[in-house]
């Protein structure tokens, strides 16, 4: 493991992206989302994925030039063409627009087509917290989830994020895939030779399996709830709901038409949805009630004394506090080495951009 | 079992409610929601619950007079005081308002405090389908769900409903509790002496149990996803999201402050949320894409040839077709007898309102 300051990771990602031709302000947007993913402990959506964005820009499958464009607009809604720009560029544009509308009429509901992977969904939802608003964000993604009773992947892990402000900077931040778990968790168990709990995935025949290898080879992830008996059809319904808000409402790719995971030979054309809701337009005292709601849950007597009851966003808050205390983000050395080597492909890239602060193991 | 025509059930509920002093148009609203619950096969939210509404009006815990009032309004949002009227009266008022706003500015987001049980959440979401819009509805409910890691019920089964129109009257209708299952399912297993699948409920110590008796006596329902390992914290987060949209945004009761299930000695003051989204404000061709999305899922090769892949709302559609073919709704005789006896409490009530069409077993 090694510890790298947030500013150094940010700058490294920016420089790598600029080196392949990304506009500096687009590179900054992407770096901010990825660093936030790492700070929150979602390493699968941080530096770890930088090579994918580098490749997208390098091959031209993702656009370098231009800005998102509003195609249709009302006081409370907008349809945006993301112009195939980097996901975070589209996401920031849309979320800013949603917040602007929510300031005026209490809500902004903005959907985009022509977008790309945008990192953690929570990043956009959380932008609304700065304005004391509720924020939401949804995106469709490559098909990895098998609908209840089926055996083919026709939905992505389609995340739902909802952030709501409480008092003194506290907040509720839900940021969840509508699959039982992320693909990365299955891969991790497979690499370690461990079995997976029943309810995470199915085999190529659509049968529940505890063998991660069968999930990865022709099977798929299960929706939240697992089997039909334990309520998996609800997770399937939620994945469909996200698709309605994203691919269907925006007129982007949807369902099994979304390009496959790690397929980069065609434009992604993802659909995404961004919402801001202004509590000022509803009952007074919103943040007081939010704080009380969070206190009720956090103050519960836990079933296991060593595992306190948490609210959505608390594990991420703990990870950020850890980063703060250590003065940086800790990465596996091989992630850093891989990214540095990816960065060394072209001469003008930073050869060893990282100032490794601390080194252990 | 006996078969009763829809019109007769509707009329029976209306007359029973009017007999205890409900305004005729309020009684009609309630009856419509309950009959729709039964037609869709959600018998726990239909005639079966009429006695609860009768009691609420009879004891005066629910208001007979007045209409809901808009307290605060923008072009796209509204805060409504339900004036402690019957849930369906508040629900219809709010959903109509949301649809009106969505016609003007593309979206209407309306929340109400001072409401009561409103039947199936899907009823309100589906009102938007008539206008070719997406509809959503959420309500908080009495605490029955134990948050992940806890052992006390601090959240209701807080349902999420989302309806989206496809072509030729087809639609996607998600209408789901954020608990793994409804309380009624646990009660049914308990009465039969059956065990329940792991992931439905926990005992008073917050440990997962397959004994329905332990869930009912001091335990609680689990959020969708079941245990923490299988993603129960996601269901917990969704239940909290519904609470944010309802009790918190509306300034109603929330979390464990909501009166207990079947407690009727104080006003419910539920919080509810109603949303309409106009696809016309987004990409053209919405209903074509919706139909295609539904076709993709329904057309999948099923894992078990006898269990076709469905879309949310399909089981209910099948139930409605069955009612249509039979010419009425089939009820257990004891439900009918109980309701008729409940209806006979006062002289002016209809003594035997039901024209029982067909009788079997």
């Amino acid at each position: 493991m090694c510890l790298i300051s947030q500013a150094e990771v940010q700058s490294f990602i920016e420089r790598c992206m600029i080196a392949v031709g990304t506009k500096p302000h687009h590179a900054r947007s992407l770096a901010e989302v990825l660093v936030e993913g790492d700070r929150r402990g979602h390493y699968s959506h941080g530096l770890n994925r930088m090579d994918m964005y580098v490749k997208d820009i390098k091959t031209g499958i993702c656009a370098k030039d231009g800005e998102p464009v509003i195609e249709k607009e009302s006081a409370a809604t907008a349809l945006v063409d993301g112009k195939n720009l980097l996901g975070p560029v589209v996401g920031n544009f849309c979320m800013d627009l949603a917040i602007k509308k929510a300031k005026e009429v209490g809500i902004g509901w903005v959907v985009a087509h022509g977008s790309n992977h945008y990192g953690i969904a929570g990043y956009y939802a959380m932008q609304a917290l700065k304005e004391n608003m509720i924020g939401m964000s949804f995106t469709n993604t490559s098909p990895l989830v098998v609908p209840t009773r089926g055996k083919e992947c026709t939905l992505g892990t389609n995340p739902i994020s909802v952030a709501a402000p409480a008092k003194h900077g506290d907040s509720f931040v839900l940021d969840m895939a509508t699959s039982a778990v992320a693909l990365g968790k299955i891969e991790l168990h497979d690499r370690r030779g461990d079995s997976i709990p029943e309810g995470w995935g199915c085999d190529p025949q659509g049968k529940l399996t505890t063998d991660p290898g069968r999930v990865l080879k022709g099977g798929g992830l299960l929706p939240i709830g697992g089997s039909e008996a334990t309520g998996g059809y609800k997770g399937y319904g939620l994945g469909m709901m996200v698709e309605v808000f994203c691919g269907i409402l925006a007129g982007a790719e949807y369902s099994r038409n979304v390009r496959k995971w790690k397929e980069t030979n065609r434009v992604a054309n993802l659909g995404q949805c961004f919402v801001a809701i202004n509590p000022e337009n509803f009952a007074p005292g919103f943040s007081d009630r939010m704080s009380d709601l969070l206190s009720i849950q956090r103050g519960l007597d836990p079933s296991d004394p060593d595992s306190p009851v948490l609210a959505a966003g608390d594990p991420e808050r703990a990870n950020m506090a850890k980063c703060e205390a250590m003065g940086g983000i800790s990465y596996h050395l091989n992630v850093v080495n891989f990214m540095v080597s990816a960065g060394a492909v072209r001469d003008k890239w930073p050869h060893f951009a990282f100032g490794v602060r601390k080194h252990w193991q």
Side-chain angles (χ1 to χ4, degrees), chain A residues 80-153:
Chain A
V80 168
D81 180 351
K83 294 285 182 187
N84 193 29
L85 292 157
L86 286 168
V89 173
V90 181
N92 286 340
F93 180 89
C94 292
M95 197 65 211
D96 287 350
L97 190 57
I99 290 171
K100 192 168 150 262
K101 290 177 184 296
K103 280 184 188 167
E104 286 161 18
V105 291
I107 187 167
W109 188 288
V110 177
V111 304
H113 61 91
S115 192
N116 282 285
H117 296 283
Y118 73 174
I120 53 168
Y123 181 84
Y124 309 97
M126 285 189 294
Q127 300 309 309
L129 298 179
K130 298 173 187 166
E131 306 287 342
N132 278 312
M133 291 186 189
I134 298 171
M136 297 202 276
S137 170
F138 312 86
T139 182
N140 64 10
T141 57
S142 300
L144 290 170
V145 176
V146 175
T148 307
R149 299 186 174 187
K151 47 190 181 183
E152 186 190 332
C153 296

Side-chain angles (χ1 to χ4, degrees), chain A residues 61-296:
Chain A
I61 215 71
C62 189
K64 287 190 202 48
D65 294 311
E67 300 297 332
V69 168
I70 300 173
E71 286 190 331
K72 205 186 262 188
E73 200 176 9
S74 79
T77 66
L79 172 68
V80 168
D81 180 351
K83 294 285 182 187
N84 193 29
L85 292 157
L86 286 168
V89 173
V90 181
N92 286 340
F93 180 89
C94 292
M95 197 65 211
D96 287 350
L97 190 57
I99 290 171
K100 192 168 150 262
K101 290 177 184 296
K103 280 184 188 167
E104 286 161 18
V105 291
I107 187 167
W109 188 288
V110 177
V111 304
H113 61 91
S115 192
N116 282 285
H117 296 283
Y118 73 174
I120 53 168
Y123 181 84
Y124 309 97
M126 285 189 294
Q127 300 309 309
L129 298 179
K130 298 173 187 166
E131 306 287 342
N132 278 312
M133 291 186 189
I134 298 171
M136 297 202 276
S137 170
F138 312 86
T139 182
N140 64 10
T141 57
S142 300
L144 290 170
V145 176
V146 175
T148 307
R149 299 186 174 187
K151 47 190 181 183
E152 186 190 332
C153 296
T154 58
L155 289 170
T157 53
N158 297 4
I160 295 174
S161 180
V162 179
K167 282 189 300 186
H168 313 305
D170 194 10
S171 58
F172 165 82
V173 181
L174 182 68
D175 188 3
M176 53 174 265
T178 50
S179 53
V181 292
L183 187 68
K185 270 203 182 174
I186 310 269
E187 290 172 334
L188 204 66
H189 279 67
D190 188 47
R191 237 173 285 141
R192 286 179 185 158
D194 291 341
S195 65
I196 52 170
E198 191 164 281
W200 284 18
C202 66
D203 68 15
Q205 280 71 49
K207 303 294 178 201
L208 265 65
T209 180
T210 57
D211 176 359
R214 301 187 73 189
V215 176
L216 298 174
K217 290 183 202 79
L221 299 175
L222 285 179
I224 315 166
S227 72
E228 185 168 354
T230 53
Y233 56 94
K234 297 187 178 190
Y236 162 40
L238 290 168
M240 287 281 279
M241 176 193 82
V242 173
E243 191 58 280
V244 171
F245 293 165
C246 295
I248 307 299
L249 207 49
E253 292 293 357
Y254 54 87
S255 188
R256 67 174 162 205
N257 306 330
V258 177
R259 73 178 186 194
K260 287 206 173 52
W261 179 231
K262 290 189 177 163
E263 187 183 292
T264 52
N265 57 351
R266 61 182 174 113
V267 163
N269 188 17
L270 297 184
Q272 291 163 347
C273 177
F274 305 86
V275 183
I277 300 168
N278 192 350
E280 295 285 321
N281 284 61
F282 301 95
F286 179 85
S287 58
D288 293 337
R289 286 189 298 280
M290 269 312 299
S291 286
D292 186 41
L293 176 66
L294 295 173
S295 294
I296 289 173

